[in-house]
């Protein structure tokens, strides 16, 4: 994701089929995420799609009374399809019985600027098997043995158009709806607490290390850099990764090595949705807290049209024998 300051929102689904799970483990699992929040879960042991956050339970029951029942039924069909797919791929790759894993991932994105993104791909044994290119309505198969699936899928433009429509329209409709249901957590903003601390001075060259720590912010996207006289300064700077805290917020750090005689012009510059204006922290170690947060991206009211599109790309009736991996070789 990098360190961009614009918040995007994602809806993603991950399906996993396992041929021989260890004792008591499910052989088929589906998880749904909005941004970094797990909101729905299905597995072959419970055979039931279940809510994982309170907002989905509260609103979907009211707005879509048949939601859980409908998608539970669909997953029963998908579960069978994954079993067939594992068998087909095992034979195609001339593998023995044992542990094999197949995955299906798809999702969509609503960007701050109003543009949309979407992806769909299949994996086998932890490697990419085949990926959908929604612009050309064709499939890309890095693995030579997946060419069989590619030819079959490319020959069905109607189904590929359905996938494209799902990713660009239906999926983003549902994402907007979920953002409205869960806005208290998904659209909240919490500003970063920011501290600059001085580290050690190197004996060899006399250079000082200074660390800018940012903590307790949400959403995840943050734009932070060291500047010198107002210009971004990359020389001798190092960045950590944006990492989660136990309470659902994030933390991040970036450091700089400088000549102690040149302290004055350096600042840690921070931009985040939770800040009313950017922070510029001097090297003295002064602690600053951002102002009250605001959400630049607000979900509109377009999901309230009574369209009730399917939340998943295809129903069980149309998936049987139409997944890329179930085409027999």
């Amino acid at each position: 994701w990098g360190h961009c300051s614009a918040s995007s929102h994602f809806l993603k689904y991950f399906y996993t089929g396992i041929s021989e799970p260890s004792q008591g483990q499910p052989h088929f699992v589906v998880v749904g995420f909005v941004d970094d929040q797990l909101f729905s879960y299905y597995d072959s042991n419970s055979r039931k799609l279940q809510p994982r956050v309170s907002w989905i339970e509260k609103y979907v029951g009211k707005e879509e009374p048949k939601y859980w029942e409908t998608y539970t039924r669909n997953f029963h069909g998908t579960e069978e399809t994954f079993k067939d797919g594992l068998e087909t791929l095992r034979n195609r790759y001339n593998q023995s019985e044992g542990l094999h894993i197949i995955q299906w991932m798809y999702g969509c994105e609503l960007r701050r600027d109003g543009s949309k993104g979407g992806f769909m791909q299949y994996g086998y044994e932890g490697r990419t098997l085949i990926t959908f290119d929604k612009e050309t309505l064709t499939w890309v198969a890095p693995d030579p043995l997946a060419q069989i699936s590619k030819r079959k899928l490319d020959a069905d433009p109607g189904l590929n158009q359905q996938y494209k429509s799902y990713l660009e329209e239906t999926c983003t409709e549902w994402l907007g709806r979920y953002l409205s249901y869960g806005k208290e957590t998904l659209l909240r903003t919490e500003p970063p607490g920011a501290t600059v601390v001085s580290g050690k001075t190197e004996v060899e060259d006399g250079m000082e290390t200074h660390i800018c720590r940012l903590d307790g912010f949400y959403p995840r996207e943050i734009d932070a850099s060291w500047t010198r006289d107002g210009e971004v300064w990359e020389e001798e700077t190092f960045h950590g990764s944006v990492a989660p805290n136990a309470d659902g917020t994030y933390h991040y750090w970036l450091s700089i090595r400088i000549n102690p005689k040149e302290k004055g012009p350096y600042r840690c510059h921070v931009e985040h949705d939770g800040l009313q204006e950017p922070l510029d922290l001097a090297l003295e170690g002064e602690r600053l807290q951002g102002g009250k947060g605001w959400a630049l991206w607000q979900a509109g009211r377009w999901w309230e049209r009574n369209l009730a599109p399917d939340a998943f790309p295809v129903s069980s009736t149309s998936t049987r024998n139409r997944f890329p991996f179930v085409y027999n070789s």
Side-chain angles (χ1 to χ4, degrees):
W1 287 20
H3 307 301
C4 62
S5 58
S7 290
S8 294
H9 293 280
F10 296 88
L11 173 58
K12 295 179 183 177
Y13 291 98
F14 301 88
Y15 295 57
T16 305
I18 303 169
S19 57
E20 282 191 12
S22 59
Q23 204 171 9
Q25 295 301 309
H27 61 77
F28 177 69
V29 176
V30 184
V31 290
F33 282 87
V34 177
D35 295 343
D36 49 9
Q37 226 178 80
L38 172 68
F39 75 96
S40 65
Y41 176 88
Y42 172 95
D43 71 35
S44 50
N45 287 352
S46 69
R47 305 210 78 217
K48 227 176 133 185
L49 180 63
Q50 298 168 357
R52 279 289 188 263
V53 285
S54 56
W55 55 259
I56 190 88
E57 219 167 353
K58 182 178 170 188
Y59 288 100
V60 165
K62 266 196 299 197
E63 310 289 329
E64 305 280 344
K66 293 196 184 303
Y67 181 96
W68 303 106
E69 182 190 323
T70 302
Y71 296 115
T72 291
R73 202 166 50 243
N74 286 353
F75 287 149
H76 290 170
T78 313
E79 197 179 309
E80 292 306 309
T81 307
F82 265 62
K83 276 188 196 169
D84 295 348
L86 276 163
E87 188 66 19
T88 298
L89 286 170
R90 193 173 63 76
N91 291 332
R92 188 181 294 175
Y93 285 87
N94 198 21
Q95 293 169 318
S96 61
E97 290 186 357
L99 178 64
H100 301 289
I101 296 175
I102 195 165
Q103 292 161 293
W104 184 30
M105 298 178 283
Y106 60 85
C108 57
E109 174 186 8
L110 279 173
R111 302 187 188 106
R112 167 69 58 78
D113 62 8
S115 62
K116 300 172 183 179
F119 76 96
M120 183 178 288
Q121 66 187 81
Y122 293 86
Y124 184 56
E125 313 290 47
R127 297 188 304 275
T128 299
L129 185 68
I130 191 165
T131 302
F132 183 49
D133 182 340
K134 66 185 180 63
E135 304 314 317
T136 60
L137 292 180
T138 58
W139 291 78
V140 179
D143 187 320
L145 283 170
Q147 292 293 328
I148 302 160
S149 301
K150 171 181 163 55
R151 284 195 295 274
K152 295 271 189 181
L153 278 160
D154 286 351
D156 192 344
L159 183 62
N160 291 333
Q161 184 59 57
Q162 275 180 44
Y163 283 138
K164 180 183 171 75
S165 301
Y166 170 78
L167 293 173
E168 292 184 347
E169 296 159 32
T170 311
C171 182
T172 52
E173 290 271 359
W174 274 98
L175 174 52
R177 196 178 298 190
Y178 293 148
L179 289 170
S180 73
Y181 294 162
K183 60 182 177 286
E184 285 81 7
T185 54
L186 296 167
L187 296 182
R188 79 188 192 278
T189 54
E190 294 184 32
T195 322
V196 172
V197 293
S198 297
K200 61 180 181 177
T201 302
E202 299 290 342
V203 178
E204 309 86 70
D205 56 10
M207 297 283 272
E208 285 182 356
T209 298
H210 297 270
I211 302 162
C212 183
R213 300 185 191 280
L214 306 164
D215 197 16
F217 57 88
Y218 189 92
R220 183 185 191 279
E221 291 89 344
I222 193 163
D223 194 342
S225 57
W226 283 103
T227 63
R228 177 177 163 154
D229 293 325
E231 299 291 317
V232 173
W233 187 258
E234 289 291 353
E235 198 179 310
E236 294 281 6
T237 65
F238 303 90
H239 299 261
S241 299
V242 177
N245 294 319
D247 64 359
T249 62
Y250 292 90
H251 64 270
Y252 178 57
W253 65 265
L254 58 160
S255 69
I256 189 170
R257 290 178 78 244
I258 62 164
N259 183 329
K261 292 175 184 163
E262 298 178 350
K263 275 187 184 175
Y266 292 98
R267 297 284 183 273
C268 177
H269 179 81
V270 185
E271 295 182 25
H272 184 264
D273 284 358
L275 298 169
Q276 290 181 331
E277 54 191 38
L279 288 179
D280 281 288
L281 279 75
L283 296 180
E284 285 70 51
E286 166 188 10
R287 182 169 176 82
L288 297 174
Q289 187 72 30
K292 289 185 179 170
W294 83 104
L296 288 177
W297 193 96
Q298 289 291 347
R301 300 182 70 82
W302 37 264
W303 61 81
E304 291 179 5
R305 293 174 298 174
N306 290 318
L307 293 180
D310 286 337
F312 298 91
V314 272
S315 68
S316 58
T317 51
S318 64
T319 57
R320 193 91 171 127
N321 298 324
R322 300 192 78 178
F323 282 75
F325 51 76
V326 300
Y327 289 116
N328 290 316
S329 51

